[in-house]
Amino acid sequence: MRASAVRSVFLTRAARPAEASKRVLVLGGDSIGMNIAERFAIDGFPVLLLGYPAGTQVRDRITLAPDTVLDELQGFTGAFDAILTNSAGRSVERVGFVVAAQPEARVPKFEDYQLPSSRGIVSLSQLEDMLQSGDESLTRRGEWLHVAFLFGLSGESEPAVFSRVLSAIEHLGQGEKVQSYVFTRNLKVAADGLERRYRDCRESGAIFFKFDDAGPVFTSNSGGTLMVFREPLLGLEMELMPDLLVVDERLNPPASLKPLLETTPLAYLSAPFLQPESIRFSGVQTPKAGMFAVGPSRGVFDPAVIEDDVEAVVTALKESVAGVPDVTLPGSPVVDAAKCVMCLTCLRLCPHGAITFAKTAEVDPATCVRCGICAVECPMTAISLAPPAGDPDMISAIRQGLAATSGQGKIVAFLCSRSAAQALKSVPLRDVENLIPIVVRCAGTIAVPHVLEAFQQGAAGVIAAGCFQGNCASGYGTILAEERIALVRELLSDAGIDRDLVRFVPMAGNTPGVLGGAVRELEDRINKDIVKG
Amino acid sequence: METDAVILGGGIAGLQSAYRLSKLGMRSVIVEKAPFLGGHTARFACKATDRCRLCGACALEDVLRKTRSADSVKPFVRTAVQRVDDENGRFALTLLRKPPRIIPEKCGQCGECEKVCPVDGALARSPLNNELYIDEDKCLFFKDASCRACMEVCPDAAVNLEEEPDTLELNASAMIVATGFKPFDPELKPRFGYGLVPGVVSALEMDAMLRSDTWFPGEGDAEARSAAFIQCVGSRDPKIGRNYCSRVCCGYAVRMARLMKHRFPSLRPTMFYMDIQNFERAFDKSLEEAAEEVRLIRSIPAEVRKGEDGRPELIYHGPGDERVIESFDLVILSIGITPASPEISTDLGVTKDGFCGTDGENVTTRKRGVFVAGTVQAPRSIEETIAHAVAAAGKAASYVKEMKNGGSL
Ligand SMILES: Cc1cc2nc3c(=O)[nH]c(=O)nc-3n(C[C@H](O)[C@H](O)[C@H](O)COP(=O)(O)OP(=O)(O)OC[C@H]3O[C@@H](n4cnc5c(N)ncnc54)[C@H](O)[C@@H]3O)c2cc1C
Ligand code: SF4
Ligand code: SF4
Ligand code: SF4
Ligand code: SF4
Ligand code: SF4
């Protein structure tokens, strides 16, 4: 991802236009993309739709781009440049938003089960096509038809696939003389109505075998595929030669997400999906402002949740247009052009892809979430992050906090606003009497000089607290903070000071106990050192 | 008072709806009957071990922080809807607001009141900020005025038993019902021994103990102790009218078991299940990891009874149809999500599974202008509740706009 990010630097356009574009690039493929496009059009957003079912009608405000793929996405919310290719060549389209709403990639598990695809062995999608087209081999038959479904026998499956298996059984059941069998490990019923439908299917005659082991052994001969298995409930040896063996499918995210993943370094956490797996990115939000993930592109396959996603992405766009300012947001980082040597460190490290280059590094204020990582990592200290209006900067806050006390026994705690600062609210006051809290927006803002400043001003100990790994809203702010604290501990050790007077403590907003415990431990340590020294 | 949308329930769903409405430039009022916001999630423990386990519980602290800084969101706690009138697709509500019984600005946190209160749970602390509150359903003063012990002992005169509730008239263009779910009452399945066999707890109780760090596996940590989770208690059980999967309990049980083992590595957790539901992406790997720490047995025990040594004893069918009797130190019942009536007079419809709303419609109800968000409509995880609440907020906002532009639809 880094290589391509660097590449796009040299293609960077002029500054952000005054008027943000309201046009939406929708990456679709099936009816979901189409739905989204229509919803946007109704709400007054012009749409450029890539990927749609054959026969889709042209509508007001929707431009269809036939056989076109997105090669690269540059720029920022309100002013993205989508570089597209089709048979006519490359073109650049200006859009304000990008929505990834492609259908999932369905991969039949023939190989997993070591079964060849053949007339008698089909994938679930193939069976669905047969049912749709009224395939004779399924309907007009004098004899019994035995259909065996393999569901999640190799690799755990998904409720969305189970729902399709049940639909197929329901459909087959409409003909006469059909016996369906499902060979499975774990049924996936965690979606609307599935338990009910599963029970109905069983009641109307479908037979379910649930295995704890690998399940049936398959042997193929001229007559078909023979399944030999130990029936799980009573342990009886059984065999079955179905007329049709249906293989389930793995659901993968759409393969076409690469150009979108390349817009932020956080791809390394989320790939092959567009959204890191974390509650910080709930709904359709991605790490990059103005880019949204619907359904499969964020690992969601349940049709009911996808319906919520469609609604949510429409809501998100309306929110951007409403433009209600976030009063808690500090000012955007400012780059001192005189200091910047264009080393690209900030570009490579900004988790949200907010940095671009003109004559110097520049931050896109609408994309930047103010995590502060760039400011700390810039080797030239060219980037500064202004505190919210009226608040002191970090160094002043440390000085002010310690000034009155000369630091005696005081602990300076750098608390991430997204976790530790919340936790502090529930720690009983008497447990944190000696604490001087410095709230930082992201643990990624905590730098070595801040910690050293605290000691210089007389602090007895320092706690740096950020989110648990995997829960940082900026992906790796907390990892960077941890590394920096490790460095400070080295420095202290080298200077003959107890390294344990500085700690990095991971926590969440709902773990006051972890914060309280860390303070207690550090106080004990300080007292021990005093006794020793 | 005028607002754009009134939101009933201040759990994850209500808070998220309010926050997103504020981002759309709309005002909202949250009506929460409990003394604090957050709903069930406020009592869940963070399940992080060496890393975040994706339980989603801290999303509450996140959305609380965001709504707190949004001026357009007005949350009323200890408040209930007394009456709803609906006039041409607009709503006129009468709210009944109870005053704080322990005034936070006065309370010095001395804890004297807790020492004298004769009723377990009448004086409690908010899991969010540790503030004391009185549970009026349990307190004797509100039952028969037979006790004022806390008021008498409080040195800061912070206890406020006598003040009467007041009412508030509220007009809103749209209503979002986000009143959440009712946890399954494990006493309805007596064969699992809840309330009968010592050592059997519900997952909700276990979670609260883990949050407040008050659970220890018992004496002699060196000696390995055992805990059993029983899945699907009150779910996937048509005999008691629960013909659906609650969707969250497989995930929460595995996370809880792993957290317990992380805190007390000698603990041996077992999970009795029917089918394990996915709770993470790349679920094969997650399940493999979980199986290294948690013994997984596909069998729902037939009975939990008190063994001769006083510990709970489980009787279940092991692999190969043999009957197994096994004792555990602790049994945790993974109770499901069941429908709760939103307690308002308006008829919103009932889904097949008994939840509030309309089958096949995600956020709309039978009633024009009333939308549903979160677990009031179907079982959902926190993550899914958030997605659903955003959808509800979006629809409600469009409705408000239409009402503003043209009056009735
Ligand atoms: C034991 C257990 C563990 C769980 N663990 C997890 C987990 O680890 N991860 C996960 O994602 N999900 C988990 N869940 C599911 C999670 O609890 C729900 O997704 C979440 O609480 C739903 O939020 P909600 O806002 O819809 O409802 P609730 O949390 O129920 O909130 C509803 C709110 O509405 C208020 N209210 C109700 N009626 C009224 C009324 N008439 N007037 C005013 N206010 C009212 C209530 O007081 C409450 O504050 C768990 C569930 C259970 C039972
Ligand atoms: S890290 Fe600093 S010096 Fe390097 S490009 Fe960014 S602003 Fe310039
Ligand atoms: S503060 Fe964070 S989000 Fe903003 S430009 Fe710097 S690294 Fe990127
Ligand atoms: S509360 Fe849950 S989501 Fe939040 S950090 Fe803890 S484990 Fe992760
Ligand atoms: S009045 Fe009595 S019962 Fe009620 S909270 Fe006070 S001490 Fe407890
Ligand atoms: S999530 Fe698991 S425990 Fe809960 S009802 Fe579904 S299958 Fe049972």
Side-chain angles (χ1 to χ4, degrees):
Chain A
M1 79 264 176
R2 307 271 152 104
S4 97
V6 173
R7 175 164 45 102
S8 56
V9 168
F10 301 106
L11 301 168
T12 310
R13 310 137 295 110
R16 179 180 247 306
E19 181 86 28
S21 168
K22 272 181 74 184
R23 195 166 179 224
V24 196
L25 174 66
V26 177
L27 306 174
D30 61 7
S31 59
I32 292 162
M34 198 56 230
N35 269 349
I36 293 176
E38 278 172 16
R39 290 294 308 276
F40 285 154
I42 291 168
D43 280 309
F45 294 93
V47 177
L48 179 62
L49 178 61
L50 261 59
Y52 44 85
T56 297
Q57 299 288 314
V58 182
R59 279 167 200 261
D60 241 16
R61 291 211 192 91
I62 301 179
T63 311
L64 302 177
D67 299 320
T68 305
V69 291
L70 174 71
D71 265 352
E72 199 180 328
L73 186 72
Q74 293 178 11
F76 303 103
T77 179
F80 284 115
D81 280 335
I83 297 158
L84 307 174
T85 336
N86 60 16
S87 53
R90 270 161 87 86
S91 60
V92 181
E93 293 282 345
R94 170 58 58 95
V95 292
F97 308 95
V98 181
V99 177
Q102 302 97 321
E104 74 243 7
R106 295 175 176 177
V107 186
K109 294 187 190 166
F110 292 117
E111 270 175 33
D112 299 68
Y113 299 120
Q114 298 187 337
L115 289 168
S117 159
S118 66
R119 246 183 69 84
I121 306 175
V122 299
S123 71
L124 185 54
S125 291
Q126 284 170 323
L127 174 67
E128 285 166 338
D129 290 344
M130 289 162 76
L131 286 166
Q132 183 107 60
S133 64
D135 192 293
E136 290 185 2
S137 63
L138 298 176
T139 45
R140 255 175 271 136
R141 260 182 98 104
E143 294 163 39
W144 277 85
L145 179 75
H146 295 270
V147 183
F149 290 85
L150 308 183
F151 174 76
L153 264 185
S154 168
E156 293 290 315
S157 195
E158 291 275 343
V161 178
F162 192 48
S163 173
R164 289 166 54 208
V165 168
L166 293 176
S167 298
I169 295 174
E170 286 156 5
H171 201 138
L172 281 165
Q174 287 164 15
E176 269 171 32
K177 290 197 171 177
V178 178
Q179 178 62 57
S180 296
Y181 308 84
V182 179
F183 294 80
T184 186
R185 224 189 329 257
N186 284 309
L187 293 177
K188 300 293 173 179
V189 290
D192 201 25
L194 285 191
E195 174 75 11
R196 186 183 299 274
R197 284 171 61 203
Y198 151 61
R199 283 184 193 268
D200 290 349
C201 271
R202 227 176 46 179
E203 217 131 273
S204 51
I207 297 172
F208 289 76
F209 297 108
K210 285 203 248 174
F211 296 89
D212 279 323
D213 54 17
V217 176
F218 305 96
T219 35
S220 289
N221 59 31
S222 56
T225 305
L226 181 71
M227 305 172 71
V228 180
F229 56 95
R230 184 196 262 291
E231 187 276 324
L233 269 185
L234 304 169
L236 304 173
E237 292 294 337
M238 292 181 83
E239 37 177 80
L240 176 74
M241 187 173 294
D243 301 298
L244 194 61
L245 192 55
V246 185
V247 170
D248 59 342
E249 292 161 337
R250 187 167 287 117
L251 302 187
N252 286 344
S256 45
L257 298 176
K258 200 164 158 272
L260 301 184
L261 278 166
E262 283 174 346
T263 58
T264 76
L266 275 188
Y268 93 97
L269 280 178
S270 66
F273 300 95
L274 213 49
Q275 187 181 57
E277 187 171 29
S278 159
I279 193 74
R280 301 291 187 185
F281 296 94
S282 50
V284 293
Q285 187 200 345
T286 74
K288 176 99 173 174
M291 185 167 94
F292 301 97
V294 169
S297 62
R298 69 180 194 100
V300 164
F301 304 103
D302 179 343
V305 183
I306 294 176
E307 222 179 283
D308 291 343
D309 277 10
V310 171
E311 214 47 62
V313 79
V314 175
T315 307
L317 256 62
K318 287 187 187 165
E319 285 171 0
S320 328
V321 174
V324 178
D326 177 351
V327 291
T328 65
L329 212 58
S332 169
V334 178
V335 182
D336 181 344
K339 284 189 180 171
C340 171
V341 295
M342 305 268 258
C343 70
L344 311 188
T345 303
C346 51
L347 177 88
R348 284 187 295 108
L349 280 176
C350 169
H352 302 276
I355 299 214
T356 184
F357 280 79
K359 288 195 193 69
T360 177
E362 268 175 24
V363 175
D364 183 70
T367 306
C368 169
V369 307
R370 287 35 161 191
C371 69
I373 288 173
C374 56
V376 179
E377 294 293 322
C378 170
M380 308 305 293
T381 57
I383 308 180
S384 54
L385 200 63
D391 285 9
D393 65 53
M394 252 214 266
I395 295 283
S396 320
I398 296 164
R399 289 184 183 155
Q400 281 168 21
L402 286 164
T405 62
S406 74
Q408 269 289 267
K410 292 285 174 190
I411 294 170
V412 169
F414 297 98
L415 306 174
C416 168
S417 66
R418 295 144 161 175
S419 53
Q422 302 291 309
L424 178 66
K425 291 196 164 74
S426 338
V427 183
L429 285 176
R430 57 178 180 280
D431 293 356
V432 285
E433 275 167 355
N434 290 323
L435 210 66
I436 297 174
I438 310 276
V439 176
V440 298
R441 204 169 141 80
C442 167
T445 324
I446 307 166
V448 174
H450 299 138
V451 181
L452 297 180
E453 179 71 23
F455 280 113
Q456 256 156 30
Q457 298 296 324
V462 170
I463 288 175
C467 307
F468 282 109
Q469 233 189 80
N471 189 42
C472 171
S474 291
Y476 40 70
T478 180
I479 299 172
L480 290 172
E482 200 166 356
E483 283 171 4
R484 294 180 203 134
I485 296 302
L487 189 68
V488 175
R489 286 164 60 93
E490 291 296 312
L491 292 174
L492 290 189
S493 267
D494 291 350
I497 301 168
D498 181 3
R499 58 162 63 202
D500 282 336
L501 294 176
V502 184
R503 301 160 186 222
F504 181 83
V505 189
M507 63 182 69
N510 54 5
T511 62
V514 174
L515 181 56
V519 173
R520 231 172 299 126
E521 263 177 42
L522 187 51
E523 281 172 346
D524 286 351
R525 189 79 200 184
I526 292 167
N527 292 335
K528 225 187 253 160
D529 285 358
I530 291 171
V531 173
K532 260 202 289 182
Chain B
M1 189 174 170
E2 295 286 328
T3 192
D4 293 320
V6 56
I7 300 166
L8 306 189
I12 286 279
L15 288 164
Q16 184 68 26
S17 305
Y19 169 56
R20 299 306 285 258
L21 281 167
S22 81
K23 288 194 30 162
L24 288 162
M26 302 254 164
R27 298 163 301 165
S28 65
V29 168
I30 299 177
V31 180
E32 169 56 60
K33 67 176 179 185
F36 51 87
L37 297 166
H40 286 98
T41 311
R43 300 193 186 274
F44 295 164
C46 166
K47 306 302 185 310
T49 51
D50 54 332
R51 55 160 294 132
C52 164
R53 287 284 156 214
L54 308 170
C55 78
C58 61
L60 173 61
E61 275 69 15
D62 205 48
V63 69
L64 274 172
R65 173 171 61 91
K66 289 170 176 163
T67 39
R68 234 180 257 131
S69 61
D71 289 339
S72 54
V73 180
K74 295 264 174 296
F76 290 127
V77 291
R78 293 179 303 272
T79 304
V81 175
Q82 210 170 32
R83 234 185 64 187
V84 190
D85 285 321
D86 116 55
E87 298 147 6
N88 281 331
R90 287 193 172 80
F91 304 94
L93 297 93
T94 308
L95 307 180
L96 188 71
R97 282 197 302 173
K98 289 178 184 159
R101 295 304 173 192
I102 295 179
I103 298 164
E105 296 77 37
K106 290 191 180 170
C107 169
Q109 298 284 343
C110 67
E112 289 303 319
C113 53
E114 285 172 299
K115 289 182 201 151
V116 298
C117 177
V119 185
D120 207 22
L123 263 166
R125 282 176 184 273
S126 151
L128 292 179
N129 58 12
N130 221 32
E131 269 174 16
L132 278 160
Y133 69 89
I134 290 179
D135 182 342
E136 295 188 20
D137 293 337
K138 294 187 177 144
C139 167
L140 299 178
F141 178 84
F142 294 98
K143 198 170 156 206
D144 51 17
S146 63
C147 176
R148 290 160 197 266
C150 53
M151 194 159 87
E152 280 153 13
V153 75
C154 177
D156 296 320
V159 180
N160 172 34
L161 295 173
E162 271 145 9
E163 192 183 334
E164 291 294 322
D166 66 349
T167 58
L168 181 80
E169 302 297 327
L170 176 70
N171 292 312
S173 304
M175 187 186 313
I176 296 179
V177 177
T179 47
F181 67 96
K182 207 171 88 200
F184 178 74
D185 172 6
E187 287 190 16
L188 298 175
K189 296 287 283 181
R191 70 181 168 104
F192 294 133
Y194 184 84
L196 305 167
V197 179
V200 179
V201 300
S202 83
L204 218 49
E205 292 161 340
M206 190 69 220
D207 221 340
M209 285 192 277
L210 289 168
R211 179 172 179 126
S212 57
D213 229 335
T214 49
W215 177 75
F216 303 95
E219 255 99 273
D221 205 1
E223 177 202 351
R225 302 232 137 201
S226 58
F229 285 82
I230 301 179
Q231 296 308 108
C232 301
V233 175
S235 314
R236 308 190 63 189
D237 192 346
K239 273 189 229 118
I240 54 165
R242 307 270 173 247
N243 205 357
Y244 58 84
C245 160
S246 288
R247 301 174 70 153
V248 295
C249 9
C250 283
Y252 79 57
V254 169
R255 291 189 198 106
M256 227 183 267
R258 295 187 74 177
L259 176 64
M260 287 159 70
K261 186 143 180 85
H262 179 73
R263 288 194 190 167
F264 303 99
S266 64
L267 184 87
R268 287 174 296 118
T270 302
M271 182 166 150
F272 292 92
Y273 70 97
M274 270 195 246
D275 299 283
I276 295 186
Q277 304 305 314
N278 302 8
F279 50 86
E280 278 172 29
R281 276 183 205 162
F283 190 62
D284 289 317
K285 205 175 121 251
S286 313
L287 193 56
E288 232 168 75
E289 259 184 54
E292 278 168 24
E293 295 179 9
V294 187
R295 184 170 62 134
L296 299 172
I297 297 181
R298 188 206 297 282
S299 174
I300 297 292
E303 196 188 338
V304 180
R305 64 185 186 204
K306 188 172 164 181
E308 269 168 24
D309 60 358
R311 295 191 303 160
E313 201 170 74
L314 267 61
I315 301 156
Y316 64 94
H317 284 276
D321 204 32
E322 82 275 17
R323 187 163 174 270
V324 184
I325 302 179
E326 189 177 343
S327 293
F328 291 86
D329 295 294
L330 178 69
V331 175
I332 300 138
L333 304 182
S334 295
I335 52 173
I337 287 179
T338 75
S341 156
E343 296 170 44
I344 52 166
S345 49
T346 316
D347 177 19
L348 305 176
V350 182
T351 67
K352 275 204 279 301
D353 294 331
F355 289 83
C356 178
T358 325
D359 281 305
E361 291 287 338
N362 269 16
V363 298
T364 49
T365 65
R366 280 174 54 163
K367 188 91 198 161
R368 196 159 63 98
V370 183
F371 305 88
V372 274
T375 47
V376 70
Q377 194 257 356
R380 287 195 160 80
S381 68
I382 290 164
E383 217 279 336
E384 290 164 340
T385 294
I386 292 173
H388 195 236
V390 178
K395 283 253 174 170
S398 305
Y399 181 81
V400 171
K401 240 187 180 153
E402 278 186 65
M403 294 303 285
K404 277 189 178 159
N405 291 342
S408 61
L409 287 164

